[in-house]
Amino acid sequence: VVKPSHQRQNCGGQILSTLIDLAQKQGAIAIRLDARISAVGFYQKFGFKIIGTEHPSPTTGIIHIEMQKELIALNNQSLSDL
């Protein structure tokens, strides 16, 4: 979550791009995360897809949904197909 006063300045996008690059360099095959419902569009811009159902955060109670970005294709299969 980016501090409200820093939102709309691409801070979150820069952080996420850096984390995706780092994960790829370290050989990760996918990144999974729980996104706030209000942030789904943000993550979709970076190639994340919804793979789960809505659920409340155990910490805050805010509704989240599981998302995933595949970094490596596995014999033309999606990780969610495995």
Side-chain angles (χ1 to χ4, degrees):
V1 175
V2 175
K3 189 175 180 180
S5 62
H6 290 86
Q7 290 177 356
R8 306 276 184 234
Q9 297 177 32
N10 199 33
C11 295
Q14 291 175 354
I15 292 168
L16 186 56
S17 290
T18 299
L19 293 174
I20 291 168
D21 289 343
L22 181 60
Q24 288 174 322
K25 288 176 183 172
Q26 293 188 358
I29 60 172
I31 300 172
R32 285 189 180 184
L33 54 82
D34 283 341
R36 288 182 177 195
I37 295 300
S38 61
V40 167
F42 168 79
Y43 289 107
Q44 287 174 326
K45 290 178 188 175
F46 288 87
F48 284 81
K49 296 181 179 170
I50 294 171
I51 62 167
T53 58
E54 295 181 9
H55 58 277
S57 163
T59 306
T60 64
I62 296 171
I63 301 299
H64 286 66
I65 194 159
E66 187 176 10
M67 299 185 79
Q68 176 174 290
K69 176 179 176 69
E70 294 183 19
L71 303 176
I72 299 173
L74 300 173
N75 298 325
N76 297 323
Q77 282 189 312
S78 169
L79 291 174
S80 57
D81 294 338
L82 300 177

